[in-house]
Amino acid sequence: MQRKRLGDLLVETNLLTEVQLQQALAEKSNNQKLGDVLLQKGYITEQQLIEVLEFQLGIPHVSLYRYPFDESIFTVISKDFAKRHLVIPLKKEGSKLYVAMADPMDYFAINDLRLATGFQIEPAIATKDDIIRSITKYYELDDYVSDWASALPKPAVEEVVGVEEDSPIIKLVNQLLQQAVIQRASDIHIDPQETKINIRYRVDGTLRTERMLPKHMQGVLIARLKIMSNLDITEQRIPQDGRMKMNIDMYEVDLRISTLPTIYGEKIVIRILNLNTVLNDLEQLGFEMGNLEKMNQLMKKQHGIVLITGPTGSGKSSTLYAALHKLNSEEVNIITIEDPVEYQLEGINQIQTNPTVGLTFAAGLRSILRQDPNIIMVGEIRDSETADMAVRASITGHLVLSTLHTNNSIGTINRLIDMGIEPFLIASSLNGVVSQRLIRKVCRDCRQEKAATEREKEIFESRGMTIHTIYKGKGCPTCNMTGYRGRIAVHEVLVMDDELRRMIMNNQPVTDIQSFVMKRGMKFLLDDGLVKVKRGITTTEEVLRVITD
């Protein structure tokens, strides 16, 4: 029987359209596998690919999440071989060795394994992330901790300075960082407790404990992180901030490290900025078509101020950087002032604030205006002086982009008035406000269609929409049993017009402005979230959890 080609199978099972398949085949280089291209473009998930390969090749697929590994057989395959070929032993039965592989078609690896071990190799398919996580857990991290536990006397902080590259502490720190990048964590929290150290990862906005380390490792672990980020290892009484760049598993990451003295020692938080996943495209940020058109309209203005609002961690910086990327060309002079500079953009002049020498947002803005800019980006408007400078810069013929901490787009007008900006200045300078939040997406590997509840139908009806079915994730290894994987932004975009400007100049209350924009058909955060529920991207619970007002 002739085996069907992977692309045809994916189209047949409705996981892929013919157009997407042709596009992927056109972009595929000679030595690239079609599956890898489809994953890169986000057309299918790794789990979906595995299920089709299982059918196509007749090789079973295995989930390594909570798999009952026989740890005695880990000595059969060396750690280097396991990492190089992404393979991990599962069990042995007689002369057969069962292994999980990311690529069960890698006949060279299977042959090498057969020669090296003397066993007949029986491959199964597992996801790449699953295998890397298991290798780290069973081959590496626990080795370092046990090495230390058996080491007497306990390691001292002095031993960290000038240590060899293959020392347990360096390997441990590298593994913690590698594991965080694999799990797509945004932050690592190292929390010293009375008798242990908790390591927690923030994934998709929620913190979860990854592992616990013995208390005696605290000093060397913190000293190592401080050395890496050029902080003072002798100073433990005051908070310190540092940063560094690293290559982790072929990903270039920027790490921002913050220390804080607590009663049980210094707590460290590492913010991970994955430079490979910076979204430079407004289309990829989750803007619905109407909002995207409004956003593009705001970006075309020659002067005025555009504000992006939302609480901390709502993705404002990503939207700002995507907007700057769109505006960046040789004809315009773009200058930014940020605290800190999160991503470095080619062709854009970026300034880092430094309050200790008097370089604040307001002082930096004054200097920027003498540098003949077309577009100015102010990282955040925190005080009335910065607000006043930004508004005046926008009136004098510059396009100013900035962020502000407010709950919704209309509340921004009140916030600017509270900062001492005159209503007539707001009316003449403000082009528009984009308010946003980040919501978790339903895991594509375990999502199931369900009938909408009566309460959900009521919520949709109250916003002029109908819903019959929704999607929920039942929980799988890909999403760590949460039912969610990845996040997307929900937006509301308020574009100023003559009537709105007149209302602001007449100091009309926010409720009047809200009624006016509602009549005009503006979509609010809740509406945008519910549209995404209707499209099967997220759940009603997640939208209501994030959008409380």
Side-chain angles (χ1 to χ4, degrees), residues 307-317 319-320 379-381 402-412 415 433-438 489-492 525 546-547 549:
L307 293 173
I308 307 208
T309 73
T312 304
S314 57
K316 299 188 295 293
S317 297
T319 306
L320 264 187
E380 189 186 334
I381 294 177
S402 190
T403 68
L404 197 62
H405 285 268
T406 58
N407 287 335
N408 54 44
S409 53
I410 296 165
T412 305
R415 184 67 194 280
V433 183
V434 180
S435 187
Q436 70 177 63
R437 300 284 188 285
L438 287 178
V490 287
H491 304 92
E492 65 182 41
L525 283 169
V546 174
I547 303 158
D549 51 328

Side-chain angles (χ1 to χ4, degrees), residues 82-96:
K83 283 176 80 174
R84 195 167 62 248
H85 294 288
L86 292 181
V87 54
I88 195 161
L90 299 171
K91 59 181 179 181
K92 60 178 180 186
E93 282 177 6
S95 63
K96 290 181 180 175

Side-chain angles (χ1 to χ4, degrees), residues 347-371:
I348 290 177
N349 311 287
Q350 294 170 280
I351 304 168
Q352 165 87 46
T353 60
N354 187 353
T356 51
V357 295
L359 181 54
T360 59
F361 278 119
L365 250 173
R366 254 184 227 105
S367 305
I368 288 171
L369 289 172
R370 294 193 282 272
Q371 287 279 322

